Amino acid sequence: MALNALKDSPKDPKPWWESAIVYQIYPRSFKDTNGDGVGDLRGILEGLDYLKSLHVGCLWLSPVFPSPMRDFGYDVKDYEGIDPLFGTLEDFDTLLTATHQLGMKLILDLVPNHTSDQHPWFIESRSDRDHDKRDWYVWRDPGMAGAPPNNWLSFFGGPAWTLDSASGQYYLHQFDSTQPELNYRHPAVLEAMLDNIRFWLERGVDGFRIDVIWLLIKDAWLRDEPLNPNWDGSNPHEQLLHIYTADQPEVHQIIRSFRALFDQYGERLIVGEIDLPPENLMAYYGLAGDECQLPFNFSLIHTPFEAQILRQTVRDYEARLPAGAWPNWVLGNHDRPRLATRIGAPKARLAQLLLLTLRGTPTCYYGDELGMLNGSIPKERIKDPQAINQPEVGEWIGRDPQRTPLPWTKGPNRGFAPPGADPWLPVGDETATPSIETQSRDLSSFLHFFRSLSALRQSEAALMKGDYREIAIDHDDIMAYERSFADQRFLIILHFGGTPVTVPLQDPEIPLKLRLSTHPRSIAASLDSPLTLAGYEGVILQYPISPMKGRRP
Ligand code: GLC
Ligand code: CA
C-alpha cells in the first residue's frame, strides 16, 4: 500500500496544501500590540479570528527570527529564535497552537541562501582566513587591480562583492552587503541548515516558504555573467544574464536534502521562491516529485492583465506541469507593487476571482482582501535597502509601498497600533483603502466580496480541486473556463474590458445558476443567454446537476 494511503484519512487522500488558501502575513505590518510601531506575534494571535473569517487555511509569516533588520528579517542572525521585536518563542508556540486549534496551518520563511553579517557563523568566518568556518561563505581574492573577483551584481545595487579589508578578501552577497551568502559546496553548511529546519519542524510548524531557493548555489568557477542584450536600461541588476548565479544544476540535490527531512515529519510543505519562467520552474517539483511541493508560480505577477494573454499563460503553465504535480498561483507579495495599484483598482476584484478559481493553491497577500493600494512613502521615511542603496532608481524599485500597515479601524493609527504609537511605515487613510471595520459593515465592500468568494471556493470541491478546461468564447476581452469534479460543473467568465459586453452561453437550454459576481447582481435562480457582463465583471456560474449523471443504466 502506498505510504499516502496509510497516513491520510480515506476521505481526502490529498495533502492539505492542495485545498488550502495560503495567506502571507508581513508581520511588521499586521498588528502592533505593544505600541512600538511594529507588528508582533501577539498581533497575529489577536487577528486569528479575522484570518479564519477569510477562509484561509495556511498562514505564511515573513521572517520573525532574530535579525538586525537591515532587510527586515531576511537577514537572519539566529535561525532558532524569535526576534524580541516580534515577541518570544513562547509567544510563537502560543500562536502555533491557537492557529492549529482554528484548523489552520502555519508556515515560516526560511532564508538559507544568506545570513546576516551578525550571525555567529559569519563573525567566525570573517575572523580568520584559517578559521574552519571560513569556507562556510564565499570568499575570494580580489581580481585585477583590487577589483571584485568577477562581474556579478547585487539585486540591491552595485557589485555582489564586498571587500573585507582586514583579511584582504571579498565575500559574496547578491542582496545587501550585510547579507553574506552561504557556501553550499561545503557539506557542513547544509547539515547546519538542516538542523535549523529540524528545530522548527519539531516544534510543529507545517512547513516553510524558502527564500530565493533557486539562487542557493553558484557556479563553481565563479565565471563572469554575459551582458543581457535585451536590457531595457531600468533595473541595473538586469544588465547581466544570470546564468552563473541562479538555477544551477546542483541546486536540486540541496532541495532534495531539505525535502527528505520535511518528509520525515509527515505532511510538511515546501513553498520555494523561484522567480523563473514556467519552462525552468517545473524542474523544482523534482524529477521524482521530491523537491518543492509548491514551487512558487509568479507568472500572474509578470503577465499583463489582459484576457488572451492570461488565458495563454494558464494554458502554458498547465501544459508544462509534470504528472502528479499540483499547480499554484500568486498575485502579490512583499516584493511587488500591490495588485490593485499594479493592474488598477477596477480590475482588482476580477483578479481575485481568477486567483481563487484557477486550479491550484492560491496565495493571497495580506491586505489584498481589502483591495488595498500601495501606500505613499515620503522620501525621508523610505526604509527598504533596495531603494536606499539605489537612490537613482529607488523610488520605483522600493518595496515599502506594498508593506504598509493593515488598516483595522477608522480610529487612531487605524487600529494597527495603539493610539500614540508611531507606525514604522505610514498607515494611509480611509479614502485610499477603507479599513476592515468599515468594509465589514458594507455588503458591497471588497472584503465582503472576498469572503463570499473564498467561502464559495472552500465549499465546492469543483472549485477547490476540480479539473480545469478552457472554454472558447469568441471575444478578445473574455477569458472563460470550466471547473468540474464528479457531477459538479462551474463556468467562470471573466471580462477584462471596461465597457459592457454581451456573450452567448454555450447551450441556451441549460439554465445556469449565478453563484457569485464581482459586481452587484441579484443571485438569481437562473440566467438568460446571452449574458451581459458589466465592465471588468467576472462571474461564477453553476450548471445544474444532471439527475442521470454517474448512475448506471
Ligand atoms: C527574497 C525576499 C526579499 C528579500 C530577498 C533577500 O526575494 O522575498 O524580500 O529581500 O529575498 O532575502
Ligand atoms: Ca510591536
Side-chain angles (χ1 to χ4, degrees):
M1 191 189 280
L3 200 66
N4 269 350
L6 279 176
K7 76 176 184 279
D8 297 312
S9 76
K11 265 180 41 220
D12 195 357
K14 300 283 188 195
W16 60 264
W17 53 81
E18 294 196 7
S19 52
I21 299 173
V22 179
Y23 182 96
Q24 180 188 358
I25 294 178
Y26 196 68
R28 297 181 69 87
S29 293
F30 192 72
K31 197 167 203 289
D32 168 29
T33 56
N34 65 349
D36 62 2
V38 178
D40 40 53
L41 293 180
R42 283 175 189 223
I44 300 173
L45 185 68
E46 285 183 9
L48 283 184
D49 288 338
Y50 169 69
L51 293 163
K52 186 72 189 164
S53 81
L54 301 176
H55 314 107
V56 300
C58 173
L59 310 179
W60 148 29
L61 309 189
S62 280
V64 288
F65 314 108
S67 162
M69 301 289 166
R70 281 293 292 252
D71 192 19
F72 301 105
Y74 286 95
D75 47 333
V76 178
K77 71 172 186 193
D78 171 9
Y79 289 93
E80 299 186 358
I82 296 291
D83 194 285
L85 194 61
F86 295 121
T88 62
L89 209 44
E90 204 185 346
D91 292 332
F92 178 79
D93 289 338
T94 307
L95 175 63
L96 183 61
T97 306
T99 306
H100 285 163
Q101 276 166 353
L102 286 173
M104 294 186 285
K105 306 286 184 183
L106 186 74
I107 66 173
L108 292 177
D109 202 323
L110 183 76
V111 191
N113 179 65
H114 42 271
T115 66
S116 158
D117 63 354
Q118 308 294 306
H119 194 293
W121 298 341
F122 188 71
I123 294 174
E124 289 175 50
S125 177
R126 179 178 223 166
S127 67
D128 185 345
R129 283 174 81 142
D130 295 325
H131 195 285
D132 62 3
K133 285 207 176 64
R134 184 68 170 181
D135 292 338
W136 281 39
Y137 293 82
V138 185
W139 290 100
R140 280 297 179 283
D141 287 334
M144 299 272 277
N150 67 17
N151 74 344
W152 295 355
L153 295 173
S154 160
F155 283 88
F156 288 1
W161 298 94
T162 286
L163 181 67
D164 172 54
S165 45
S167 65
Q169 285 194 311
Y170 282 88
Y171 63 88
L172 178 70
H173 58 86
Q174 293 190 77
F175 295 91
D176 193 66
S177 60
T178 63
Q179 292 167 295
E181 307 229 350
L182 285 161
N183 172 21
Y184 280 89
R185 295 186 184 277
H186 192 311
V189 170
L190 178 62
E191 284 312 314
M193 198 51 69
L194 291 172
D195 281 345
N196 290 324
I197 298 173
R198 199 174 285 115
F199 174 86
W200 294 103
L201 293 176
E202 288 285 339
R203 274 198 125 73
V205 306
D206 299 292
F208 279 93
R209 175 262 191 188
I210 303 188
D211 192 67
V212 298
I213 201 167
W214 89 111
L215 306 183
L216 281 183
I217 194 157
K218 275 55 76 169
D219 177 49
W221 298 276
L222 307 183
R223 281 171 281 188
D224 275 351
E225 291 188 325
L227 292 176
N228 175 4
N230 301 319
W231 184 48
D232 64 6
S234 50
N235 187 345
H237 185 254
E238 288 168 12
Q239 286 172 77
L240 301 179
L241 293 174
H242 301 296
I243 60 168
Y244 295 130
T245 48
D247 197 23
Q248 300 300 292
E250 302 95 315
V251 76
H252 296 285
Q253 183 52 47
I254 301 170
I255 303 176
R256 282 196 291 274
S257 308
F258 287 168
R259 173 65 183 275
L261 175 61
F262 279 62
D263 282 353
Q264 288 173 18
Y265 291 83
E267 284 187 358
R268 307 290 175 106
L269 171 64
I270 299 183
V271 178
E273 187 200 11
I274 302 147
D275 196 0
L276 289 175
E279 56 269 34
N280 307 99
L281 178 68
M282 297 305 172
Y284 288 78
Y285 279 105
L287 282 177
D290 50 1
E291 296 184 32
C292 308
Q293 296 99 335
L294 302 179
F296 244 144
N297 164 22
F298 288 122
S299 47
L300 292 181
I301 290 190
H302 297 309
T303 306
F305 250 69
E306 290 164 28
Q308 299 316 315
I309 304 178
L310 286 167
R311 188 177 58 88
Q312 191 59 44
T313 300
V314 175
R315 183 194 287 180
D316 280 357
Y317 175 82
E318 282 275 359
R320 288 180 194 277
L321 265 185
W326 182 247
N328 74 89
W329 301 96
V330 58
L331 284 172
N333 64 30
H334 62 295
D335 295 327
R336 306 285 168 172
R338 285 243 173 224
L339 172 74
T341 301
R342 194 172 79 237
I343 65 168
K347 285 187 187 171
R349 291 184 188 214
L350 197 59
Q352 294 298 336
L353 190 60
L354 172 73
L355 178 69
L356 271 74
T357 57
L358 284 175
R359 191 178 80 97
T361 302
T363 296
C364 300
Y365 184 49
Y366 87 96
D368 280 356
E369 73 277 13
L370 304 173
M372 193 163 164
L373 295 166
N374 266 5
S376 53
I377 315 290
K379 266 208 168 90
E380 63 283 3
R381 291 194 65 177
I382 294 179
K383 299 274 195 309
D384 178 18
Q386 182 161 334
I388 291 172
N389 295 355
Q390 306 177 84
E392 63 299 351
V393 289
E395 245 167 283
W396 63 263
I397 226 177
R399 300 169 297 176
D400 297 319
Q402 56 264 32
R403 298 175 176 180
T404 56
L406 190 63
W408 290 87
T409 68
K410 284 196 283 194
N413 281 327
R414 308 201 64 205
F416 160 69
D422 182 18
W424 77 289
L425 285 176
V427 286
D429 63 36
E430 195 72 11
T431 52
T433 306
S435 64
I436 293 169
E437 179 187 43
T438 307
Q439 296 205 29
S440 292
R441 294 202 195 108
D442 173 4
L443 291 186
S444 68
S445 68
F446 203 107
L447 177 59
H448 186 78
F449 162 71
F450 183 91
R451 282 185 173 137
S452 312
L453 172 61
S454 56
L456 180 60
R457 181 189 191 276
Q458 295 311 97
S459 64
E460 294 291 354
L463 295 175
M464 212 157 45
K465 56 185 174 186
D467 293 341
Y468 171 91
R469 187 164 75 92
E470 238 180 67
I471 298 293
I473 292 187
D474 192 16
H475 191 291
D476 277 354
D477 289 334
I478 300 278
M479 174 179 181
Y481 46 91
E482 208 177 82
R483 299 290 315 279
S484 58
F485 184 80
D487 56 3
Q488 302 170 35
R489 216 151 50 104
F490 289 81
L491 174 64
I492 291 98
I493 310 180
L494 307 172
H495 173 216
F496 291 83
T499 48
V501 65
T502 298
V503 292
L505 295 177
Q506 268 189 321
D507 182 347
E509 297 302 304
I510 303 179
L512 297 185
K513 200 168 145 195
L514 176 72
R515 296 298 305 272
L516 190 77
S517 168
T518 49
H519 285 52
R521 245 182 209 274
S522 59
I523 306 292
S526 63
L527 285 173
D528 293 330
S529 177
L531 170 69
T532 301
L533 295 169
Y536 309 124
E537 182 174 7
V539 290
I540 302 180
L541 309 173
Q542 187 171 18
Y543 286 93
I545 296 174
S546 146
M548 293 310 290
K549 199 162 174 207
R551 291 197 197 150
R552 285 172 188 280

